[in-house]
Amino acid sequence: MEQVPCFNEIIERSIVENWNLDALTDYKGATLQFHDVARKIEKLHILFENGGVKPGDKIALCGRNSANWAVAFLATLTYGAIAVPVLHEFTPEQIHNIVNHSEAKILFVGDVVATQVDGTKMPNLEGIINIPDYSLALSRTDKLTYAREHLNEMFGKKYPKYFRKHHVSYYKEKNGDELALINYTSGTTGFSKGVMIPYRALWGNYDFAEQVLGKVVKKSDCVISILPMAHMYGMAFEFIFEFLHGCHIYYLTRIPSPAIIAQAFTDVKPSIIIAVPLIIEKIIRKKVFPKLQNNKVRLLWNLPVINKKLQQRICEQVKKAFGDQFYEIIIGGAAFNHEVEMFLKSINFPFTVGYGATECAPIICYSDYHSFVPGSCGRAVVHMEVKIDSPDPQNVAGEILTRGTNVMLGYYKNPEATSQTIDKDGWYHTGDLGTMDSEGNVFIRGRSKNMLLGANGQNIYPEEIEDKLNSMQMILESVVVQRDTKLVAIVHPDMDALHDLGLRDNDIIQMMEQNRQLVNEQLPAYCKIAEIEINKHEFEKTPKKSIKRYLYS
């Protein structure tokens, strides 16, 4: 494994160099400059030290994205403690399990989580700290209670004349393999594993972002944090890279509804946008596609000379919906709908699709939008190797394997799962199936554990059928399952739009049957859909916005 620089030193350097710049803002709320962040980190360090927390102890964080969440995370790392970010969408029981399994000593909670969790279910915790004001929600030691009550006094004694740049001095990890954080996967199988992320993986992801985005994203540029920071995708590319680069991060502290997101794009004008497909697909389907449906636009679209100008105009309108100042939109975290992708490509919209896994903190593949090949998810990134476990990687799908700086140490307290996932040569087995062209572009064909077996032993990738279904009239999302030897598509139609058209249940069934026949025309005989079931409500999803398939078998 390559030698990597000290990560906490990079945090230290960014704070000192960007001292008077804006760092973290709660959208429509207060702004912290880098020196404010440094002062808050210092106070938390005093609280940890006097409250009985030692380097190497685990500190869990659970709450919506906010400036104070980010500060608590940075304070944990720079103290030498191990962070355990927990998705606030988890149920109270899942939160209790993760806190207990990770042996966390302290738990930071957001205002909503604070009302849901039960301290008695987490007997080994020494304290629960409220993220909004760092007050104690629970203390089980006199040390911690005393430290919190006398915190300002202790800070004043330590820094009688102001807290300045030269006071910033943080814990330095011993080497890149030292454990920085444990991230529990949401996992669509319903069982969570604690991914042990070392400092080298945090650095590998930061260094990758610095190399590919460092020149186009400038100091003081603004970005919006939409994805949960407790998820590695949001943490690496909407927080860590930007904070270390000197950017100004805006947090949408409430549930980011499409209306709030659209308003934030207009107000903040981010210079880079990181997104999951669902957000992009919703904006395109609701705001753009309807405008293209009228006959006049359709006619112009088919006239080559006018088409160019029309595409340009539509591209400008779509860019406006995202603030119009961004270099590119990077999409990852789940499969991207083929129809939406081809539409964006046809209007020359600056987007790219990357590929990663929590186990790689997260980045594995990426290409800049200029060189991005539609349908792919880019090429292996700096510090990483990728190969396809197949006799003919260009034509026959095989498992995607990767190794390098970004790969985890393993699963916490689960050596069996670790040895099943990382082989003796250091290759991480992703569980995803893919092919790779001669240029090294990786094309994902599905999850190996989702793969279904046809009657004559053919491999059926439900994601590929779902992608076609999701492009059909009035279908928002779908799950393809196997019952006996039959393939059944469970679809969630656009119920609002269907009711606006005055359609009754019977009409909807007929329309979906028509969709089934149309899709089957595009499919080989062994993976045709036998029947369609209608699911009137949105499918349940993991925090990464992938459907919990196991609930719909």
Side-chain angles (χ1 to χ4, degrees):
M1 202 62 77
E2 63 185 322
Q3 280 295 102
V4 303
C6 175
F7 189 76
N8 279 330
E9 259 177 19
I10 303 171
I11 297 176
E12 203 174 284
R13 189 172 68 226
S14 175
I15 286 173
V16 170
E17 284 177 4
N18 302 304
W19 196 249
N20 290 316
L21 296 181
D22 291 341
L24 310 169
T25 295
D26 289 334
Y27 180 55
K28 307 242 184 248
T31 293
L32 299 179
Q33 293 191 315
F34 280 86
H35 64 86
D36 299 316
V37 172
R39 197 179 66 251
K40 280 178 176 267
I41 287 175
E42 195 56 35
K43 282 195 170 178
L44 286 175
H45 284 183
I46 291 171
L47 180 65
F48 295 160
E49 194 181 339
N50 293 282
V53 178
K54 296 179 189 64
D57 283 343
K58 322 282 190 321
I59 295 178
L61 306 100
C62 187
R64 288 192 200 289
N65 288 4
S66 67
N68 271 2
W69 192 109
V71 169
F73 176 82
L74 292 168
T76 299
L77 245 54
T78 54
Y79 184 74
I82 295 158
V84 183
V86 184
L87 284 153
H88 66 275
E89 285 119 324
F90 280 152
T91 63
E93 188 189 1
Q94 287 173 310
I95 296 166
H96 301 150
N97 287 345
I98 290 170
V99 167
N100 294 334
H101 184 266
S102 66
E103 300 166 285
K105 206 170 195 178
I106 300 286
L107 169 65
F108 281 89
V109 291
D111 46 8
V112 179
V113 177
T115 63
Q116 297 170 337
V117 294
D118 178 352
T120 63
K121 303 269 172 69
M122 300 175 283
N124 299 321
L125 269 184
E126 292 186 3
I128 298 178
I129 299 174
N130 292 311
I131 292 172
D133 59 0
Y134 301 139
S135 61
L136 285 179
L138 168 78
S139 175
R140 290 195 170 119
T141 72
D142 295 341
K143 263 182 158 181
L144 187 61
T145 307
Y146 182 87
R148 184 60 190 95
E149 282 172 0
H150 298 84
L151 188 54
N152 288 335
E153 187 190 318
M154 289 171 173
F155 182 80
K157 262 188 193 152
K158 194 170 179 183
Y159 304 104
K161 292 205 167 140
Y162 293 119
F163 178 71
R164 302 180 193 277
K165 282 185 195 182
H166 66 266
H167 293 127
V168 176
S169 174
Y170 296 147
Y171 169 86
K172 310 292 185 286
E173 69 271 18
K174 294 164 206 59
N175 58 53
D177 270 335
E178 190 173 321
L179 182 59
L181 65 107
I182 303 173
N183 200 223
Y184 283 79
T185 59
S186 54
T188 41
T189 53
F191 178 68
S192 224
K193 292 200 283 277
V195 177
M196 296 192 285
I197 307 282
Y199 277 99
R200 62 168 158 76
L202 295 182
W203 175 82
N205 276 269
Y206 157 69
D207 190 56
F208 148 76
E210 197 57 75
Q211 289 191 38
V212 298
L213 300 172
K215 292 182 181 67
V216 293
V217 176
K218 310 276 186 296
K219 249 185 214 249
S220 297
D221 272 5
C222 298
V223 290
I224 301 174
S225 171
I226 300 170
L227 304 170
M229 279 193 288
H231 197 277
M232 287 314 301
Y233 185 30
M235 177 178 284
F237 304 125
E238 285 183 336
F239 169 37
I240 289 177
F241 159 66
E242 285 83 352
F243 186 83
L244 299 184
H245 194 70
C247 296
H248 182 186
I249 304 166
Y250 283 80
Y251 291 109
L252 304 182
T253 52
R254 288 282 151 258
I255 294 174
S257 68
I260 289 173
I261 291 171
Q263 189 56 51
F265 280 139
T266 306
D267 296 347
V268 175
K269 301 193 184 329
S271 68
I272 192 84
I273 295 168
I274 311 294
V276 289
L278 199 72
I279 291 171
I280 306 300
E281 286 167 17
K282 271 190 175 166
I283 290 171
I284 300 297
R285 285 190 191 283
K286 292 276 185 202
K287 295 198 166 182
V288 183
F289 280 175
K291 290 178 186 170
L292 303 179
Q293 296 308 324
N294 73 55
N295 290 337
K296 188 177 156 194
V297 173
R298 277 183 181 170
L299 186 71
L300 295 174
W301 193 264
N302 292 321
L303 299 173
V305 181
I306 300 174
N307 173 292
K308 270 266 179 287
K309 286 187 174 156
L310 184 64
Q311 286 176 341
Q312 215 174 334
R313 225 177 73 211
I314 290 166
C315 186
E316 280 163 14
Q317 282 181 350
V318 180
K319 279 182 174 173
K320 220 166 251 166
F322 295 102
D324 211 15
Q325 299 286 312
F326 61 93
Y327 170 69
E328 70 179 3
I329 293 184
I330 301 172
I331 298 161
F336 194 28
N337 177 264
H338 181 68
E339 184 195 16
V340 176
E341 182 175 352
M342 294 324 287
F343 165 72
L344 291 177
K345 193 71 190 166
S346 75
I347 61 170
N348 290 318
F349 186 77
F351 80 99
T352 185
V353 178
Y355 169 58
T358 302
E359 286 82 349
C360 295
I363 200 71
I364 297 170
C365 295
Y366 165 88
S367 285
D368 179 276
Y369 80 91
H370 291 99
S371 57
F372 169 66
V373 175
S376 82
C377 57
R379 296 190 281 268
V381 299
V382 62
H383 311 302
M384 295 295 278
E385 297 171 73
V386 172
K387 71 176 181 182
I388 307 293
D389 188 11
S390 158
D392 180 5
Q394 287 191 41
N395 302 303
V396 179
E399 190 176 10
I400 301 169
L401 310 183
T402 185
R403 71 177 174 189
T405 303
N406 300 356
V407 176
M408 65 171 178
L409 297 167
Y411 297 112
Y412 187 56
K413 296 187 197 165
N414 198 339
E416 197 180 315
T418 303
S419 62
Q420 285 167 3
T421 312
I422 301 174
D423 66 28
K424 61 179 187 345
D425 297 317
W427 290 98
Y428 162 61
H429 292 240
T430 63
D432 292 319
L433 295 164
T435 53
M436 187 193 282
D437 69 13
S438 56
E439 304 290 304
N441 293 295
V442 174
F443 297 80
I444 294 173
R445 302 298 179 204
R447 289 284 296 168
S448 60
K449 65 180 174 199
N450 296 340
M451 193 182 79
L452 309 171
L453 218 52
N456 296 320
Q458 307 95 333
N459 292 345
I460 300 168
Y461 304 118
E463 294 92 343
E464 293 186 356
I465 305 172
E466 289 154 11
D467 192 59
K468 290 184 181 355
L469 275 168
N470 297 348
S471 298
M472 290 284 154
Q473 224 179 354
M474 295 296 176
I475 294 181
L476 290 178
E477 50 188 8
S478 59
V479 174
V480 172
V481 299
Q482 198 167 26
R483 294 195 185 139
D484 296 325
T485 55
K486 284 181 182 172
L487 290 184
V488 177
I490 308 168
V491 302
H492 169 53
D494 191 337
M495 298 307 290
D496 295 344
L498 289 165
H499 287 145
D500 289 347
L501 292 169
L503 296 181
R504 298 176 186 281
D505 284 2
N506 221 24
D507 304 322
I508 297 169
I509 289 166
Q510 282 182 337
M511 183 187 266
M512 293 305 134
E513 175 55 26
Q514 207 179 334
N515 282 336
R516 181 186 76 86
Q517 290 169 14
L518 287 169
V519 160
N520 279 348
E521 285 170 19
Q522 304 172 41
L523 295 169
Y526 67 84
C527 59
K528 288 191 190 299
I529 294 163
E531 61 178 281
I532 278 191
E533 256 178 38
I534 291 169
N535 190 38
K536 289 188 176 178
H537 303 287
E538 220 179 291
F539 291 112
E540 274 200 54
K541 305 208 176 55
T542 69
K544 204 173 75 172
K545 301 295 176 230
S546 43
I547 293 167
K548 293 181 175 176
R549 309 179 75 91
Y550 61 94
L551 296 176
Y552 302 96
S553 52

